[in-house]
Structure formats: C-alpha cells, structure tokens
Amino acid sequence: MVGEAAVSRGLLERLAEGPVLGDGGYLLEMEKRGYVRAGPFTPEVSLTDPEALAQLHREFLRAGAEVLQALTFYASEDKLATVGLADKVDDINRAAVRIARDVAGDDALVAGNLSLTWVYDPKDPASAGRVRAMFDRQLEVMMDEGIDLVIGETYSWLGEALIAQERAARTGLPTVITMSFEKEPRAYEGDPPADCARKLRDAGADVVGVNCLRDPERTLPIAAEMRAAVDGFVACQPVAFRTTDQEPDFTASPAFPFALDPLQLPRQAMGAFAARARDLGIEYIGSCCGSVAGHVKAMAQALGKIPLQEGDWRVDYDRPMSAYEYYGHAEREIPPS
Ligand code: ZN
C-alpha cells in the first residue's frame, strides 16, 4: 500500500531526504473565522467546533503541508484555567489530536504541540516542576491518541524549551523544539540563537529552530545563525505578517490582534521565504501566525512539492478568454524563488 509506505516514513527519514514542509497558523485564523476568542487565544475549539478546526487542517493538507500540528497550543492546565477550562485539559488535548489524525490519514504526519505555559520562572524553582507536570499531562493524552512527533514551540525562556525537550524525549518520538525572539534576538536568559540551538541539540532535540513573532526577513538570519551552530536539523517557521527592525515582534504591534489584516504578507512572499530557507540549508520549513492555506501552497510550489500548473489550459493572448490573458498576467502567477 502506497499510503502506508508513505506514512511509515517518519519525520527524521523525510528530513534526511530533503526539506519537509510544515503547516501554517491556527489560533489567529480560527479567531478571524469566529471560533476562538481574541485575547486568551485558548484552543477549546477542538471541543466547541471540531468541524471548523478539521476544515483548517484540511486546507493546510491540501496546500501541501506534510505535518499537521494538533491544536494543543495553550492547552496546558494553568492557561486553560484563565478561561475556566482547567477541567477540560484532557478532553481538549484528546480531541485536538483526534481531529488532526482523522484529517491527516496516511497523507501527513501529526505533531503533538507543546507551547509556552506562562508559568516558567527561573527565580521560582517550583515553576519548573509545575511546567513538567503540565507537559506530561498533555503528552500522556497525545500519546494515547497517537502522534508521530512532538513540536515544542514559541519559547522565549530557553529553560522552558529545555523542559519541553526533556519531557518530549520520554515519548521516544522525534522532537522539534523552537525558540521565539522578541525585540532582541536573545532568549530571556540572554542566550543568542546559536547558543539556544546548541543547548537544545545537546539536550537531544532532533530539530532545533525558531518560530513565530517575526516575519521571514527578520527570522531567516536567526535560522542561519542556528544552522551554522549545529549539525542536526534546523526548523524555521516565521509569521506571515510584515514586521520591522524597530518592532520585529508582531504581537507587540498596536495592530495586534484586530488590525493585522493590512500587514499580512502576500503568498508569494512566503514562497520566496521557503526557497531562501531551503538554500540556507534549513530542513523543516513551515510558517506560523497569519499563514493560511494560500501561503502554504506557495511554499509547497516554491519547494517543488506541488506543481505550479494544475491541469491543462489553452492560453491564447490573441484571443483572450480570461483576465490573465487579456492583461498578460499569466507569467506573474509563478511564485518568485
Ligand atoms: Zn505564531
């Protein structure tokens, strides 16, 4: 069976053969569609509107994503308690993995997702134990439902990222651990990206990298620094919003979260990003907040994972039968690389 053969190839085998394409952003898009509350951005949509979440997974899969992240971001106990859902931790994690698994079928890998908890505090020794317990609870449910890898993401504290790696490693599954950098490209502890990458790799992370907050232009140099620092695989998953050198973190912008629309990048920009990431030797190429199916599709096309042209089309500029022919647009449809 081709399908079984395809899905039996795990993340590390795929990465060894060439770039793997991740998916896009979930919570902000679900909020735009009316299924998630802006502000807390908690992921109870897996219980309240499972079909809406399944549809976004389907869109990413159809666009060429090879990994679907279960929407377990912020599905940790203390975070869910802020919206009165502390007793739904298991249900939300279970439903999220089940929904991603159903959509992925044999066509994509499913990642269990661990995110920042907002609880980790190096000045409070008890906090590390609390973070461990919360990650373990999520991982137990995820493993019970069946995941193919663990993605730990959006950590500003390197210490919290290292805890995510420590707990995820106990599953025996491949791990992808990525840092996020706010105004300065430093972990909260002060470690530059290269040191973060080295320490996470030394801790056993199969893939280390950077995700969220920054646009591709302000993320790629960080990924390149990590690339130079480690021999293992590197991941890069920037946002699809335009940021600036003065304000590289889109969540710090006054436009967050309700006026981001004009800052959303065109899909070709994400296609160009994917090609640049590949050329830098980045193996796990994905995207984060603001990246929807059109962006992922442009990335898949730029990486040669899906064709630029979808079926036959008789083009005749002398006798146009489309605006593309009439205005001579057709060649611009090919994403820049
Ligand atoms: Zn993000």
Side-chain angles (χ1 to χ4, degrees), residues 50-63:
E51 179 50 35
L53 177 56
Q55 177 59 27
L56 187 53
H57 281 309
R58 267 184 224 112
E59 292 171 22
F60 287 136
L61 182 65
R62 185 177 171 83

Side-chain angles (χ1 to χ4, degrees), residues 211-213 239 250 288-289:
N211 80 286
C212 207
L213 303 187
V239 302
F250 86 101
C288 205
C289 303

Side-chain angles (χ1 to χ4, degrees), residues 198-240:
R198 268 191 289 269
K199 290 177 182 177
L200 287 166
R201 180 70 187 134
D202 289 347
D206 296 297
V207 185
V208 301
V210 54
N211 80 286
C212 207
L213 303 187
R214 295 165 170 250
D215 67 3
E217 195 179 328
R218 272 150 280 272
T219 304
L220 279 167
I222 291 171
E225 193 179 324
M226 291 178 155
R227 168 73 291 156
V230 295
D231 290 331
F233 299 118
V234 173
C236 187
Q237 305 211 81
V239 302

